[in-house]
Amino acid sequence: MISLGFLTIHPQQEVEYVTEIAKHASEFSIEIYRFTPFNIHPNTENIEGFRYDLQQKKWIEDSFLLPSFIYDRCFYRKDSLSNKARPIVNWLKQREDVTFLGHGLPNKLDVYEAIKKDSYLSSYIPPTTPIESVEQLVQLLRTNDSLMIKPANGSQGKGIVKLRTAWT
């Protein structure tokens, strides 16, 4: 059976998302685990985390070896926890016995700039401008009926705001 680890910085991060994946993983002979970089014992490389139990339909605390595949869902911030996690995750990424899925995308503006350079894909993305001040935002609203504002980092639509002018 294939082992897939879902790696996050916080233990309860994106549990609903990984649970939906775990519910269907057995159809593909995949066993799903959840853990943080801090759950790895450096001497033994054993992990204290969670395994999805399909019969009980819930996460069970378990001890397991490093999964063959790791889905990297670490979102780094400028905090001490992220600073502690980065070197551990980088160490994992250097290992030849582990395949990393989702090495982590750069922020949304960097992704936009890369897509904009592609002649085929660029026609599918809307114009994007980084917002650096309230004055700039007001000016954009004067020339546009509505705006979608997204945080530079994040996923699953969290933090997205739609602004519309009152006169539309």
Side-chain angles (χ1 to χ4, degrees), residues 6-77:
F6 195 88
L7 180 66
T8 60
I9 290 181
H10 301 281
Q12 296 304 315
Q13 181 179 324
E14 298 188 321
V15 173
E16 291 174 7
Y17 176 57
V18 69
T19 300
E20 288 304 312
I21 293 171
K23 287 177 183 176
H24 302 283
S26 67
E27 300 168 25
F28 304 96
S29 298
I30 300 173
E31 190 156 42
I32 303 288
Y33 300 94
R34 280 191 306 116
F35 63 101
T36 73
F38 315 110
N39 294 130
I40 303 168
H41 295 281
N43 295 335
T44 63
E45 297 183 5
N46 281 341
I47 300 171
E48 298 293 328
F50 296 90
R51 175 181 51 83
Y52 189 77
D53 186 295
L54 193 60
Q55 280 70 41
Q56 296 184 52
K57 298 183 178 175
K58 68 178 188 175
W59 292 99
I60 297 173
E61 285 189 56
D62 199 359
S63 178
F64 47 90
L65 298 174
L66 199 59
S68 306
F69 295 88
I70 297 177
Y71 187 11
D72 181 6
R73 298 295 294 171
C74 292
F75 296 107
Y76 301 105
R77 297 189 174 116

Side-chain angles (χ1 to χ4, degrees), residues 1-167:
M1 186 168 271
I2 297 171
S3 60
L4 171 62
F6 195 88
L7 180 66
T8 60
I9 290 181
H10 301 281
Q12 296 304 315
Q13 181 179 324
E14 298 188 321
V15 173
E16 291 174 7
Y17 176 57
V18 69
T19 300
E20 288 304 312
I21 293 171
K23 287 177 183 176
H24 302 283
S26 67
E27 300 168 25
F28 304 96
S29 298
I30 300 173
E31 190 156 42
I32 303 288
Y33 300 94
R34 280 191 306 116
F35 63 101
T36 73
F38 315 110
N39 294 130
I40 303 168
H41 295 281
N43 295 335
T44 63
E45 297 183 5
N46 281 341
I47 300 171
E48 298 293 328
F50 296 90
R51 175 181 51 83
Y52 189 77
D53 186 295
L54 193 60
Q55 280 70 41
Q56 296 184 52
K57 298 183 178 175
K58 68 178 188 175
W59 292 99
I60 297 173
E61 285 189 56
D62 199 359
S63 178
F64 47 90
L65 298 174
L66 199 59
S68 306
F69 295 88
I70 297 177
Y71 187 11
D72 181 6
R73 298 295 294 171
C74 292
F75 296 107
Y76 301 105
R77 297 189 174 116
K78 294 180 181 176
D79 62 4
S80 62
L81 201 59
S82 293
N83 289 338
K84 290 176 187 171
R86 260 192 208 98
I88 300 168
V89 175
N90 287 337
W91 166 75
L92 286 171
K93 289 179 178 179
Q94 301 303 314
R95 296 180 59 112
E96 292 185 12
D97 60 334
V98 175
T99 301
F100 253 77
L101 311 173
H103 272 273
L105 290 171
N107 70 44
K108 289 180 181 78
L109 191 59
D110 291 341
V111 172
Y112 170 79
E113 293 297 334
I115 292 172
K116 191 170 80 170
K117 292 176 186 172
D118 185 283
S119 60
Y120 178 75
L121 293 177
S122 63
S123 62
Y124 292 98
I125 57 173
T128 300
T129 304
I131 302 293
E132 297 176 6
S133 69
V134 173
E135 292 80 15
Q136 179 189 14
L137 180 62
V138 170
Q139 183 60 39
L140 284 167
L141 278 170
R142 285 186 178 132
T143 58
N144 297 278
D145 292 338
S146 64
L147 299 174
M148 294 295 289
I149 300 175
K150 295 177 153 189
N153 297 300
S155 69
Q156 299 180 352
K158 294 176 183 159
I160 294 176
V161 176
K162 182 176 182 178
L163 296 177
R164 290 186 308 184
T165 55
W167 52 87

